[in-house]
Amino acid sequence: MKAQFFLIPMLLFGSLIYASDTISVDSLKHRFIAASPSKNIKNVNGLLFKYFDQEEKMIPKKVNGLGMGFNPLGLFFPALLIVYLPGADRWSLNNDYGVVPENKMNKINGVQLSLINMEPTITNGLEINVSSNINTYAVTHGVAFSPILNFHHEIKGVSVAPLANVGQKCRGLQIGLYNSCKDFRGIQIGGWNENGKRKLPFINWNFKKQKNNDQP
C-alpha cells in the first residue's frame, strides 16, 4: 500500500514533466509571429518577417499567412536588372539555378511580400516582389506581380510585370513589355513574346505539350 501511495504521485509528476516538455518543443515549431533567419522556427501560422535571406544552410519554413522579406539588397537590384534587360533573350534560368527538392524549400501558403527573395521558395497564393527572385529556385502557384521584373523557374497562374516576365516552365498568362518562357503553355501579352514554339509581338500562345529538346 505504501509503495502504491508513493508510486501514483511520481507517475503524475512524471506525466506533467513530459507534457511540459512536449509543449515547449511544439512552441519552438509553431509561431504566430516569427523572424527569420532562425534555427528554432519551422512553422508559422500568421506572419514571418525575414530581415535577411540565407540560402546556404537554410532551415526550410512553412508559412500559412504572410511572409514579409525586407532584405536591403532588394533596393539595389532593380537598377542592375534594367541595365541587363536588353540581353534578356539570352538569360537561362535552367543553367543558372539548380533544381531544389521541395523539402529543402520554404513554402508560403498565402502571400509573399518582399523587396527581394533569394531563398528557394514555393508560393501558393500571391507573390509581390520588387526585385523578384534573384539567384534562387522559385516556384509560384497563383499570381506573381513585380513593379519591375518577374523571375521564376516554375509558375502556374498569372505573372505580371511592366518590364519583363522570365521563366523556365510556365503555365498560364504572362503580361509585360517582354515575356519569355522556354517551356510554356498559355498566353503571352506584351511588346515582344517568346516561347518554345514561336516569337511574336503583342500576343503569343501555345497550348500544346512541348517536346523536351534537351534530352538526347
Side-chain angles (χ1 to χ4, degrees):
M1 180 66 69
K2 291 183 179 180
Q4 293 178 352
F5 179 78
F6 286 105
L7 182 59
I8 293 174
M10 290 177 64
L11 290 174
L12 290 174
F13 181 72
S15 65
L16 288 174
I17 293 177
Y18 175 78
S20 63
D21 289 342
T22 302
I23 293 173
S24 63
V25 171
D26 289 341
S27 65
L28 293 176
K29 294 181 179 180
H30 298 270
R31 289 285 193 276
F32 179 71
I33 299 177
S36 178
S38 172
K39 295 181 179 180
N40 299 322
I41 306 299
K42 290 186 177 181
N43 297 289
V44 179
N45 296 317
L47 172 64
L48 174 67
F49 178 83
K50 291 196 304 176
Y51 55 90
F52 190 75
D53 292 298
Q54 189 178 19
E55 184 170 351
E56 186 176 356
K57 297 181 180 179
M58 183 191 74
I59 299 175
K61 294 173 174 54
K62 181 179 179 181
V63 180
N64 297 314
L66 174 61
M68 301 182 68
F70 291 97
N71 188 332
L73 292 176
L75 298 174
F76 303 98
F77 270 98
L80 181 64
L81 294 173
I82 292 174
V83 171
Y84 283 95
L85 183 60
D89 59 328
R90 296 187 296 273
W91 294 346
S92 176
L93 300 183
N94 192 39
N95 296 331
D96 294 342
Y97 304 160
V99 176
V100 179
E102 185 174 335
N103 62 350
K104 299 292 185 180
M105 303 175 69
N106 290 331
K107 181 177 288 186
I108 298 178
N109 299 317
V111 179
Q112 181 194 161
L113 179 62
S114 304
L115 291 176
I116 187 174
N117 178 47
M118 300 179 70
E119 294 180 346
T121 303
I122 299 173
T123 302
N124 299 312
L126 174 63
E127 173 193 305
I128 302 176
N129 282 323
V130 173
S131 299
S132 194
N133 304 282
I134 304 299
N135 196 35
T136 193
Y137 188 83
V139 178
T140 296
H141 303 127
V143 178
F145 173 79
S146 173
I148 303 174
L149 303 166
N150 270 321
F151 294 92
H152 295 92
H153 194 282
E154 297 182 29
I155 182 167
K156 185 177 182 180
V158 180
S159 180
V160 180
L163 292 184
N165 296 289
V166 178
Q168 180 67 25
K169 182 179 180 180
C170 313
R171 303 290 185 267
L173 176 65
Q174 287 184 323
I175 301 175
L177 181 64
Y178 173 77
N179 300 301
S180 174
C181 187
K182 183 177 180 181
D183 183 358
F184 184 81
R185 270 187 275 172
I187 298 175
Q188 298 170 306
I189 300 174
W192 186 252
N193 309 288
E194 300 181 359
N195 58 46
K197 189 174 183 180
R198 65 173 72 86
K199 301 178 181 180
L200 287 175
F202 308 126
I203 187 167
N204 200 356
W205 66 92
N206 183 37
F207 300 106
K208 294 182 180 180
K209 186 176 181 180
Q210 297 174 215
K211 295 180 180 180
N212 189 353
N213 297 324
D214 296 333
Q215 294 182 352

